Each structure stands twice: as C-alpha cells, then as structure tokens.
Amino acid sequence: MTARLLGGVKVYSLDWHLRYGLDYAGAADLLASQGMDLVIAQNRYLPMADSAVRSAPSDVPQSYDDRQFVEALRARGMQYYAACNLFFDPETLARHPDALAVDASGRVAQPVDWYIATCPTHEDYFADKLQQLETAVRELRSDGVFLGFTRFPGFWEQWLPQTSRGDWSEYCFCPRCVRLFGASTGVRVPEGPGELPGSWIRAHAYAGYVEWKTDVITARLREIKNALRRIHPPVRIMLNTLPLGPADFGGAGREVFGQDWAKLREVVDLFEVMAYHQILGREVSWINRITREVKTAVDRPVLVTVQAKPFYLEGMHAGRGRSPVIPVEEFARALDAARDGGADGIVVFTWSDLLRQVLAEQDTRFVNAVRRVTRG
C-alpha cells in the first residue's frame, strides 16, 4: 500500500476571507475536505510583501483575527505554521537601508522585479525580524514558523537550465560581511582605495568564505529557534529550502546561497523544498531527484511544494522558455514524483489557486489529485 503523505498549502493572501467570504470555521472545513493537514500562512504579525504572488495585505478589516483562524484549524486537527520572509522584507529594509547586499564587484543591490537582496549579517535588521517572530509566536502559539528567504541573497528563480552560475551576482561582500569574515577566519582581506574585497575573496579565500556563509545561516536559525522556544517550547522550525543540489550550478545552493543541508539539519525540524519545476524550466522527473537528494542529506521530515499554476511568464520573465500551462495531469505527476522521491508530505503553492479552481471555476480536479496522495 502506498504511504499517505501529509497535505499542506501555502496561504499567502486573505483571498479566502476577502474574496470568497469564508469565515474561520468555513475555511478550516474546506481545507480539511481538500486533504490538508497543515497550513503555512502569513498573518498580521508577519505581513508579506508581494512577490511572484500578490501577498501584501490590503483592506484587512480590524475585526479579522489570526488567532481565530489558528483555533479553527486546530479544532480540526490541522497545524499552523506562521510564515516569515526573513531576508526579504522591503518594509523592514526601509528602516535599515544599509542592510542592502553588495556583490563581488562592490555594487549595492538594486531591485530586480519584486526582489531586493538583503544582507543576513545586519544585526539591527535581524533583531527587528526576530522581534516580529517572537510577537507572532507569543500571540498565535503556532505549531511552528516557516522561514522563507533564509539564505544569502539572490533571485534564484532566474537560474534556468540555459543559464550559468556566472550570469548571476553573488552576495554579500559589504564592508560588514568582509569584516566579519576576516574576524571569524583570520583571513586578511585587502581593503582600501581601488581594492575589491569581494573579488579578492573569490580568488584567494573562497572555500573559507563559503564555510563562513553557511555558518552564518545556521547560526541565524539557531538563534531564532532558541528565542522562540523560550516563548513556546513546542514550536517547530520549517525551512524554505532551495531546490539546488550538489550538482546544480556547481553546488550554488551551498556556495552562493549558504544553505548547507548537513549543518542545517541540526537546527531545522522540517525542510520544505520549493520544487517549482515550471518556474525553473525543469521536467517533472526532476522533482523526484531533488526530493531524494534533500531527504538523503537531512534525515528529517521533508515537505515538497508543487505549483498549482504557472508563474513568471510576463515582463522581464517573458520568452525564457517556461511552460505557459500546468495541466492537471502534470500536476498529478508532480505529486507522484515527490511521493516516489521519499517526501513526507506535499505543499500546494498556493491556496488561492485551488480556491479559484474550486469556488470560481467549479473545477475540483487539482484538489482531487491532492486528496489522492494525502487521503488515498
């Protein structure tokens, strides 16, 4: 008999309440009927900016209460993970503008589409985000927190197969990062007029720099975990994990973005893998491969997120070879690929897409595909 997967969904907007008029109990009932065991959701304590999906809260009535949503889910046996975009938050960045990342050529990051690269070593920025997390956990008593953008920066969704690692900037080489790297490792990085510390590090001390980056991300997660467990001991940490294995772009997941799975498994309770095959221009079979790689490396529960609709087809992303459709048959094969790769659960990106299909289009095929792997 095929093992049943946990079912989850990313609730990155309040469409369910504002557009479709569901109350807390109605939303929880619908989620349960769709085969869901957990939700990853934004809330007023950890508001999200727009990204590939519209998430920025607007016109949220004062009467809306995240705690009642959490309680409705819990009453039906579902878990709630409070979503936090850690190192992508334009509102928090505006309070700490010197947290903008710097590339190896000394250029300060500029916005690209919706994304802006933020340095993970800025203490005041991090303290601001940690305080937001502490408030959310204190108020919601959530089962866990979902930490998105918990890495060194980069717009990884642009890393399509026809591109190379050298096409994209690497961060962060700001004066603070250079100083911290030198202090941690004892490496003397040349600084001063005409010097490019980032270029020197990449040429002469890159292996040590990568180790330092991965230690920074692991330490940030450990600090968050310890702080939140002092408030609510059962809280669990779920990491938004890049789908870049050791052979992808020369190990960029670890070297460029600082996510070292072997180190992170010591502080992360669940790994959520963004297996966005259409966004990354991959075949469905790739989902199986990346799932196996993460599961083997971390020996922790692994949830694999699949898309319910295509993204990045317009504007600067047009003409990049991404498929303009995800037929339901392909969606079902994506679920099977995650299951066969050893996933412990699947997560649908996003619930708004399922709501549109079910409530506006009267199309239950995608939901039925989810239920097949989560309920049998």
Side-chain angles (χ1 to χ4, degrees), residues 1-7 33-37 336 339 367-376:
M1 181 177 178
T2 303
R4 180 180 89 80
L5 299 186
L6 286 172
S33 74
Q34 293 177 340
M36 304 305 175
D37 301 290
D336 289 341
R339 180 195 60 204
V367 164
N368 290 341
V370 173
R371 285 187 54 84
R372 177 177 59 82
V373 296
T374 64
R375 297 295 182 264

mmCIF file of all heavy atoms in Angstrom, residues 1-7 33-37 336 339 367-376:
data_model
loop_
_atom_site.group_PDB
_atom_site.id
_atom_site.type_symbol
_atom_site.label_atom_id
_atom_site.label_comp_id
_atom_site.label_asym_id
_atom_site.label_seq_id
_atom_site.Cartn_x
_atom_site.Cartn_y
_atom_site.Cartn_z
ATOM 1 N N MET A 1 0.853 -1.200 0.000
ATOM 2 C CA MET A 1 0.000 0.000 0.000
ATOM 3 C C MET A 1 0.889 1.250 0.000
ATOM 4 O O MET A 1 1.866 1.322 0.740
ATOM 5 C CB MET A 1 -0.920 0.003 1.221
ATOM 6 C CG MET A 1 -1.865 1.191 1.292
ATOM 7 S SD MET A 1 -2.960 1.068 2.723
ATOM 8 C CE MET A 1 -3.858 2.597 2.538
ATOM 9 N N THR A 2 0.558 2.231 -0.837
ATOM 10 C CA THR A 2 1.329 3.457 -0.920
ATOM 11 C C THR A 2 1.143 4.299 0.339
ATOM 12 O O THR A 2 0.016 4.466 0.821
ATOM 13 C CB THR A 2 0.904 4.272 -2.150
ATOM 14 O OG1 THR A 2 1.057 3.468 -3.310
ATOM 15 C CG2 THR A 2 1.770 5.502 -2.291
ATOM 16 N N ALA A 3 2.237 4.795 0.883
ATOM 17 C CA ALA A 3 2.166 5.601 2.105
ATOM 18 C C ALA A 3 1.395 6.892 1.855
ATOM 19 O O ALA A 3 1.496 7.492 0.786
ATOM 20 C CB ALA A 3 3.572 5.909 2.603
ATOM 21 N N ARG A 4 0.638 7.310 2.857
ATOM 22 C CA ARG A 4 -0.099 8.564 2.775
ATOM 23 C C ARG A 4 0.821 9.717 3.096
ATOM 24 O O ARG A 4 1.575 9.677 4.071
ATOM 25 C CB ARG A 4 -1.273 8.533 3.768
ATOM 26 C CG ARG A 4 -2.110 9.788 3.761
ATOM 27 C CD ARG A 4 -3.245 9.706 4.740
ATOM 28 N NE ARG A 4 -2.899 10.183 6.060
ATOM 29 C CZ ARG A 4 -2.856 11.462 6.419
ATOM 30 N NH1 ARG A 4 -3.096 12.402 5.527
ATOM 31 N NH2 ARG A 4 -2.557 11.805 7.641
ATOM 32 N N LEU A 5 0.776 10.757 2.282
ATOM 33 C CA LEU A 5 1.571 11.951 2.528
ATOM 34 C C LEU A 5 0.789 12.953 3.355
ATOM 35 O O LEU A 5 -0.448 13.029 3.267
ATOM 36 C CB LEU A 5 1.960 12.606 1.202
ATOM 37 C CG LEU A 5 2.807 11.798 0.216
ATOM 38 C CD1 LEU A 5 3.203 12.679 -0.960
ATOM 39 C CD2 LEU A 5 4.034 11.204 0.875
ATOM 40 N N LEU A 6 1.504 13.736 4.140
ATOM 41 C CA LEU A 6 0.892 14.908 4.748
ATOM 42 C C LEU A 6 0.503 15.879 3.642
ATOM 43 O O LEU A 6 1.202 16.003 2.632
ATOM 44 C CB LEU A 6 1.868 15.599 5.692
ATOM 45 C CG LEU A 6 2.160 14.931 7.031
ATOM 46 C CD1 LEU A 6 3.296 15.669 7.725
ATOM 47 C CD2 LEU A 6 0.926 14.913 7.907
ATOM 48 N N GLY A 7 -0.590 16.568 3.833
ATOM 49 C CA GLY A 7 -1.012 17.582 2.879
ATOM 50 C C GLY A 7 -0.900 18.966 3.478
ATOM 51 O O GLY A 7 -1.291 19.193 4.627
ATOM 52 N N SER A 33 -11.451 19.262 3.995
ATOM 53 C CA SER A 33 -12.081 18.486 2.924
ATOM 54 C C SER A 33 -11.163 18.339 1.716
ATOM 55 O O SER A 33 -11.321 17.410 0.914
ATOM 56 C CB SER A 33 -13.395 19.146 2.503
ATOM 57 O OG SER A 33 -13.160 20.327 1.732
ATOM 58 N N GLN A 34 -10.189 19.244 1.581
ATOM 59 C CA GLN A 34 -9.255 19.202 0.462
ATOM 60 C C GLN A 34 -8.022 18.350 0.754
ATOM 61 O O GLN A 34 -7.097 18.300 -0.054
ATOM 62 C CB GLN A 34 -8.846 20.635 0.083
ATOM 63 C CG GLN A 34 -9.998 21.440 -0.499
ATOM 64 C CD GLN A 34 -9.629 22.877 -0.807
ATOM 65 O OE1 GLN A 34 -8.651 23.413 -0.277
ATOM 66 N NE2 GLN A 34 -10.400 23.522 -1.662
ATOM 67 N N GLY A 35 -8.000 17.704 1.909
ATOM 68 C CA GLY A 35 -6.904 16.803 2.228
ATOM 69 C C GLY A 35 -5.712 17.454 2.881
ATOM 70 O O GLY A 35 -4.600 16.933 2.811
ATOM 71 N N MET A 36 -5.924 18.575 3.543
ATOM 72 C CA MET A 36 -4.813 19.302 4.151
ATOM 73 C C MET A 36 -4.663 18.966 5.630
ATOM 74 O O MET A 36 -5.631 18.845 6.362
ATOM 75 C CB MET A 36 -5.013 20.813 3.989
ATOM 76 C CG MET A 36 -5.182 21.272 2.552
ATOM 77 S SD MET A 36 -3.803 20.731 1.498
ATOM 78 C CE MET A 36 -4.382 21.287 -0.107
ATOM 79 N N ASP A 37 -3.389 18.856 6.037
ATOM 80 C CA ASP A 37 -3.042 18.617 7.432
ATOM 81 C C ASP A 37 -2.367 19.822 8.078
ATOM 82 O O ASP A 37 -2.286 19.898 9.303
ATOM 83 C CB ASP A 37 -2.085 17.426 7.535
ATOM 84 C CG ASP A 37 -2.678 16.156 6.956
ATOM 85 O OD1 ASP A 37 -3.604 15.617 7.563
ATOM 86 O OD2 ASP A 37 -2.213 15.730 5.880
ATOM 87 N N ASP A 336 3.153 12.705 -7.619
ATOM 88 C CA ASP A 336 3.696 11.345 -7.602
ATOM 89 C C ASP A 336 5.224 11.366 -7.534
ATOM 90 O O ASP A 336 5.845 10.543 -6.849
ATOM 91 C CB ASP A 336 3.248 10.574 -8.842
ATOM 92 C CG ASP A 336 1.773 10.224 -8.816
ATOM 93 O OD1 ASP A 336 1.181 10.246 -7.713
ATOM 94 O OD2 ASP A 336 1.212 9.936 -9.890
ATOM 95 N N ARG A 339 6.229 12.081 -3.982
ATOM 96 C CA ARG A 339 5.982 10.892 -3.146
ATOM 97 C C ARG A 339 7.023 9.808 -3.409
ATOM 98 O O ARG A 339 7.619 9.257 -2.485
ATOM 99 C CB ARG A 339 4.581 10.348 -3.433
ATOM 100 C CG ARG A 339 4.203 9.095 -2.623
ATOM 101 C CD ARG A 339 2.986 8.438 -3.212
ATOM 102 N NE ARG A 339 3.232 8.035 -4.600
ATOM 103 C CZ ARG A 339 2.272 7.871 -5.504
ATOM 104 N NH1 ARG A 339 1.015 8.089 -5.177
ATOM 105 N NH2 ARG A 339 2.586 7.499 -6.735
ATOM 106 N N VAL A 367 -7.712 19.524 -6.690
ATOM 107 C CA VAL A 367 -7.943 19.119 -5.301
ATOM 108 C C VAL A 367 -8.065 17.606 -5.204
ATOM 109 O O VAL A 367 -7.526 16.984 -4.272
ATOM 110 C CB VAL A 367 -9.204 19.812 -4.732
ATOM 111 C CG1 VAL A 367 -9.666 19.130 -3.463
ATOM 112 C CG2 VAL A 367 -8.935 21.284 -4.475
ATOM 113 N N ASN A 368 -8.732 16.985 -6.144
ATOM 114 C CA ASN A 368 -8.853 15.539 -6.124
ATOM 115 C C ASN A 368 -7.478 14.868 -6.258
ATOM 116 O O ASN A 368 -7.226 13.822 -5.637
ATOM 117 C CB ASN A 368 -9.763 15.057 -7.260
ATOM 118 C CG ASN A 368 -11.217 15.438 -7.017
ATOM 119 O OD1 ASN A 368 -11.606 15.727 -5.894
ATOM 120 N ND2 ASN A 368 -12.010 15.458 -8.062
ATOM 121 N N ALA A 369 -6.590 15.477 -7.032
ATOM 122 C CA ALA A 369 -5.227 14.944 -7.167
ATOM 123 C C ALA A 369 -4.488 15.021 -5.833
ATOM 124 O O ALA A 369 -3.736 14.095 -5.467
ATOM 125 C CB ALA A 369 -4.466 15.702 -8.244
ATOM 126 N N VAL A 370 -4.690 16.121 -5.112
ATOM 127 C CA VAL A 370 -4.084 16.246 -3.783
ATOM 128 C C VAL A 370 -4.629 15.188 -2.849
ATOM 129 O O VAL A 370 -3.878 14.490 -2.136
ATOM 130 C CB VAL A 370 -4.318 17.659 -3.213
ATOM 131 C CG1 VAL A 370 -3.832 17.742 -1.758
ATOM 132 C CG2 VAL A 370 -3.620 18.712 -4.062
ATOM 133 N N ARG A 371 -5.936 15.044 -2.825
ATOM 134 C CA ARG A 371 -6.564 14.078 -1.910
ATOM 135 C C ARG A 371 -6.100 12.650 -2.209
ATOM 136 O O ARG A 371 -6.011 11.820 -1.299
ATOM 137 C CB ARG A 371 -8.078 14.174 -2.014
ATOM 138 C CG ARG A 371 -8.680 15.405 -1.338
ATOM 139 C CD ARG A 371 -10.209 15.327 -1.339
ATOM 140 N NE ARG A 371 -10.667 14.080 -0.761
ATOM 141 C CZ ARG A 371 -10.818 13.854 0.541
ATOM 142 N NH1 ARG A 371 -10.522 14.818 1.415
ATOM 143 N NH2 ARG A 371 -11.245 12.704 0.976
ATOM 144 N N ARG A 372 -5.807 12.370 -3.453
ATOM 145 C CA ARG A 372 -5.372 11.014 -3.809
ATOM 146 C C ARG A 372 -4.085 10.633 -3.087
ATOM 147 O O ARG A 372 -3.905 9.478 -2.691
ATOM 148 C CB ARG A 372 -5.164 10.944 -5.317
ATOM 149 C CG ARG A 372 -4.641 9.605 -5.834
ATOM 150 C CD ARG A 372 -4.532 9.601 -7.348
ATOM 151 N NE ARG A 372 -3.654 10.651 -7.853
ATOM 152 C CZ ARG A 372 -2.330 10.556 -7.910
ATOM 153 N NH1 ARG A 372 -1.710 9.455 -7.504
ATOM 154 N NH2 ARG A 372 -1.600 11.553 -8.391
ATOM 155 N N VAL A 373 -3.170 11.609 -2.900
ATOM 156 C CA VAL A 373 -1.903 11.273 -2.244
ATOM 157 C C VAL A 373 -1.919 11.552 -0.743
ATOM 158 O O VAL A 373 -1.071 11.025 -0.016
ATOM 159 C CB VAL A 373 -0.717 12.030 -2.913
ATOM 160 C CG1 VAL A 373 -0.545 11.604 -4.341
ATOM 161 C CG2 VAL A 373 -0.872 13.524 -2.785
ATOM 162 N N THR A 374 -2.862 12.375 -0.270
ATOM 163 C CA THR A 374 -2.904 12.667 1.154
ATOM 164 C C THR A 374 -3.971 11.868 1.907
ATOM 165 O O THR A 374 -3.877 11.726 3.126
ATOM 166 C CB THR A 374 -3.159 14.162 1.415
ATOM 167 O OG1 THR A 374 -4.461 14.525 0.931
ATOM 168 C CG2 THR A 374 -2.096 15.019 0.746
ATOM 169 N N ARG A 375 -4.942 11.379 1.187
ATOM 170 C CA ARG A 375 -6.036 10.631 1.849
ATOM 171 C C ARG A 375 -6.240 9.242 1.257
ATOM 172 O O ARG A 375 -6.943 8.432 1.808
ATOM 173 C CB ARG A 375 -7.353 11.417 1.775
ATOM 174 C CG ARG A 375 -7.324 12.752 2.511
ATOM 175 C CD ARG A 375 -7.162 12.535 4.004
ATOM 176 N NE ARG A 375 -7.168 13.790 4.733
ATOM 177 C CZ ARG A 375 -6.095 14.469 5.105
ATOM 178 N NH1 ARG A 375 -4.892 14.044 4.764
ATOM 179 N NH2 ARG A 375 -6.197 15.573 5.805
ATOM 180 N N GLY A 376 -5.650 8.983 0.084
ATOM 181 C CA GLY A 376 -5.738 7.663 -0.528
ATOM 182 C C GLY A 376 -7.064 7.393 -1.213
ATOM 183 O O GLY A 376 -7.952 8.230 -1.288
#
